[in-house]
Every structure is written in structure tokens, then in C-alpha cells.
Amino acid sequence: MRGKIIKGVGGFYTVLTEENHRVTGGIKGIFRNQNIVPMVGDNVIVQKEKDGSFVIAQILERKNALLRPAVANVTQMIIVAACTRPKPNLMMLDKLIASYEQIGLKIIMCFNKVDIAKKADVEHLKQIYGKTSYELFFVSAKEAKLGGLKKHLYHETTVLAGSSGAGKSTLLNAIHPAFFLRTGKVSEKIGRGRHTTRHVELLCLDETSYIVDTPGFTNIDLTDMEIEKVDELFVEFRPYLGKCKFTSCAHDSEPECAVKEALQEGKISESRYRNYLVIKDEIDEKLRKNWR
Ligand SMILES: Nc1nc2c(ncn2[C@@H]2O[C@H](COP(=O)(O)OP(=O)(O)O)[C@@H](O)[C@H]2O)c(=O)[nH]1
Ligand SMILES: [Mg+2]
Ligand SMILES: [Zn+2]
């Protein structure tokens, strides 16, 4: 039988089969010797053994494998940030975006809590991210006003990313109340408890639509980013790359820089441009530390 791993705990995996059954089992002995570790999101072949138990007999080729959270075959990311409370950390947001661009994932931006946001906060975010090519949604998860976001979740394996408190779990509950995700302070308290596990789980909207909620990140690893290629990770820079006077232009203080011209013309936002420079500085600093 073919199926998809939706959960894995202690060497046991729950697989949603194509016949829409949930079966749980371990992996075939030969895998263990080969050091192959199945991941949530893996498409697999499940076998029924003579004793009635199930084993994963084959892992089909992965299209990609995200590390945090550990999920295979992700097709898109929805980056969730609150318009306010907490005030969005645009530096962190741009780092997240860059890290998913690096993997080549499709990105959707979702700004939540419009119900309590000032018009100016919303306009500010629209100004900045409206200059990227990402689809933008301004929503109120609390009031279940999702502005057409839900239809983007079908036939995709979506990971929700963004800092804790942005409203990711509330958003998923608004999309599909049967998810029953813990939200708010309660979940934070439970999250710190000793007995809590933080296993990644694929939530099924339907047989072809999966979503992963994440607890939220605080730091993003930029170590495997190439400093010369950070500009490519900023989508709205791309039309200008290769058009600067110097082929190795870092778009910083060089003359006749096409990226800086686009910035002056307002085609690239100050905020994104500044964060681009900061990301490069941080990579540079890390490289230097490693050399010492
Ligand atoms: N006013 C308002 N509060 C929200 C909204 N969405 C979530 N919240 C609140 O924000 C807090 C964090 O929400 P939660 O879904 O747990 O965030 P997560 O950490 O990203 O999963 C909770 O107290 C929610 O009730 C919203 O659209 N409007
Ligand atoms: Mg949550
Ligand atoms: Zn340049």
C-alpha cells in the first residue's frame, strides 16, 4: 500500500494510506542497517506482515527535506506574523524568507490580527511586502476572516512558520476547527512542561492537503548561506541583479548599482534592503569567527 507518514514517535510511524486508513508500524530491518530514518511527510510503501502488523517497506524519493521542523516533501511555506501584539520583527521575517528561498520553497505571507491593528501598521507592512512578489494576506484568525487564504492550502503540503504568538495555531483552527490546536498562553505553559512532546505532525485538511503547525522559531541559522548569493534570496532584487556596473557588486557602497537605484526609485523597500545588509554582515561575522 502507498501512503504518507503523518506522525512519528519513538520509531513508530503513523501512515495515512491512499485508502484513507491510518496504520501504525515500524520500519523494515534493512532500513535500520542503512541508517535511513523516515521523516514525517515521506511517501512510503507499507506492508502488512503475517502477524497483522504493518511495516514501512520503502521510502519513495523525497522532493525536499526541511530540518526545522523536520518534514519531507514540503510544497509551500506560509510565514505568519502579527500586524501588532507582538509587533512584527521584520529582521526575523526577512531571515525566514531568505532561508526558505534558499531551499526554493514557494512562500505566502500572512499578516494576522488585523482586528486589533492600527491602519498605519497594516499600511506599513503592505508598503514593504507589497514590493515583493509574494502573495500577501491580511487576516484575523480570531474572527475567522481569512481573506481567501484557505483555498491556497489544497493539494499542498504547507508548513506554517513564524514567531510564537503570531497566531499560527489560531489560524489553523479557523481554517479547520477539527484540528483543535492549543493556542495562546495555555499552550506555552504546557509546552514547557516535562511531559510534553513536540513531535511534528501533519494535519490533514483532506487526502491531498497537509499542514504542519510549528511552535515558532527564535533564531534562524544562516551558516550555509553564501554571502555572494544573499541578493538572489530577495525576490524583488532579482530584476536588477547583473545590471550593476561591477559584476561582483555587493549593492552596498559601489557606484552605479542597479539595486540601489531601484531602492531610490522606491521599487525596493528600505526595510528589506537594510535587512539584506544585516544578513550579509552576520554571515560575514560568522565566517570570520570560524577562521580565527
Ligand atoms: N486579536 C487577535 N488575537 C489573536 C488573533 N489570532 C491569535 N490571537 C491571539 O494571539 C495569541 C497567540 O495565538 P496562537 O495561535 O497561540 O499563536 P502561535 O504561537 O503562533 O500558535 C492568543 O492569545 C490568540 O488568542 C487574531 O486574529 N486577533
Ligand atoms: Mg501555536
Ligand atoms: Zn549592485
Side-chain angles (χ1 to χ4, degrees):
M1 286 179 288
R2 260 188 80 135
K4 195 176 193 67
I5 299 179
I6 56 170
K7 196 167 142 185
V9 180
F12 283 89
Y13 301 90
T14 304
V15 176
L16 185 68
T17 69
E18 277 182 343
E19 295 78 29
N20 214 14
H21 293 136
R22 280 168 201 240
V23 301
T24 299
I27 55 172
K28 255 200 153 145
I30 45 165
F31 279 151
R32 249 164 284 150
N33 303 334
Q34 292 169 355
N35 260 336
I36 295 171
V37 182
M39 281 175 90
V40 165
D42 269 331
N43 298 312
V44 296
I45 306 285
V46 190
Q47 268 173 15
K48 195 170 183 174
E49 301 288 85
K50 286 198 189 84
D51 64 0
S53 66
F54 292 93
V55 287
I56 292 171
Q58 197 186 336
I59 298 171
L60 304 177
E61 198 187 334
R62 281 176 193 152
K63 290 207 181 76
N64 60 33
L66 216 64
L67 291 179
R68 279 182 52 184
V71 186
N73 300 314
V74 176
T75 61
Q76 67 178 4
M77 303 296 304
I78 298 184
I79 299 181
V80 184
C83 297
T84 183
R85 280 194 257 168
K87 191 173 179 242
N89 178 341
L90 302 189
M91 182 68 243
M92 203 212 71
L93 224 54
D94 290 339
K95 278 186 186 171
L96 269 184
I97 293 173
S99 70
Y100 300 133
E101 277 295 341
Q102 197 182 15
I103 315 171
L105 286 170
K106 182 185 164 198
I107 294 170
I108 292 175
M109 303 292 297
C110 177
F111 293 101
N112 188 27
K113 310 198 188 185
V114 290
D115 56 299
I116 54 166
K118 291 198 198 89
K119 216 177 159 196
D121 294 333
V122 172
E123 280 311 311
H124 180 61
L125 292 166
K126 269 189 191 158
Q127 272 293 317
I128 295 170
Y129 292 94
K131 288 172 182 167
T132 67
S133 52
Y134 302 126
E135 235 169 313
L136 302 186
F137 290 88
F138 287 85
V139 307
S140 169
K142 196 175 183 179
E143 296 178 342
K145 288 182 183 156
L146 305 182
L149 178 64
K150 186 170 176 176
K151 70 168 192 291
H152 290 266
L153 295 167
Y154 290 99
H155 315 297
E156 304 271 3
T157 296
T158 305
V159 172
L160 249 61
S163 60
S164 163
K168 298 180 294 300
S169 301
T170 307
L171 182 67
L172 286 183
N173 285 334
I175 286 165
H176 196 55
F179 286 157
F180 285 122
L181 296 168
R182 290 197 199 93
T183 62
K185 294 201 182 77
V186 184
S187 73
E188 280 166 33
K189 249 182 219 152
I190 293 169
R192 265 186 239 115
R194 269 190 306 141
H195 304 291
T196 336
T197 46
R198 280 190 157 184
H199 298 294
V200 184
E201 184 174 350
L202 283 191
L203 302 165
C204 308
L205 194 57
D206 66 25
E207 311 76 64
T208 64
S209 316
Y210 302 92
I211 310 169
V212 183
D213 189 17
T214 60
F217 322 122
T218 43
N219 63 335
I220 300 127
D221 188 19
L222 302 173
T223 43
D224 57 353
M225 241 174 232
E226 278 179 66
I227 201 157
E228 298 82 14
K229 290 190 175 167
V230 175
D231 54 4
E232 294 167 20
L233 306 177
F234 282 71
V235 277
E236 69 274 48
F237 291 16
R238 287 178 192 162
Y240 312 106
L241 300 181
K243 295 186 178 155
C244 305
K245 178 172 179 174
F246 298 106
T247 38
S248 63
C249 185
H251 324 303
D252 192 347
S253 47
E254 295 86 348
E256 292 176 53
C257 166
V259 170
K260 291 203 78 173
E261 276 160 24
L263 174 73
Q264 253 111 52
E265 286 165 18
K267 288 177 178 137
I268 289 171
S269 80
E270 287 280 352
S271 165
R272 292 265 296 162
Y273 175 72
R274 240 182 293 124
N275 291 343
Y276 156 76
L277 294 179
V278 172
I279 288 175
K280 283 204 310 171
D281 276 348
E282 286 185 15
I283 298 170
D284 193 42
E285 203 157 299
K286 268 186 196 141
L287 286 177
R288 261 184 255 197
K289 261 187 204 150
N290 293 345
W291 273 101
R292 262 185 234 138

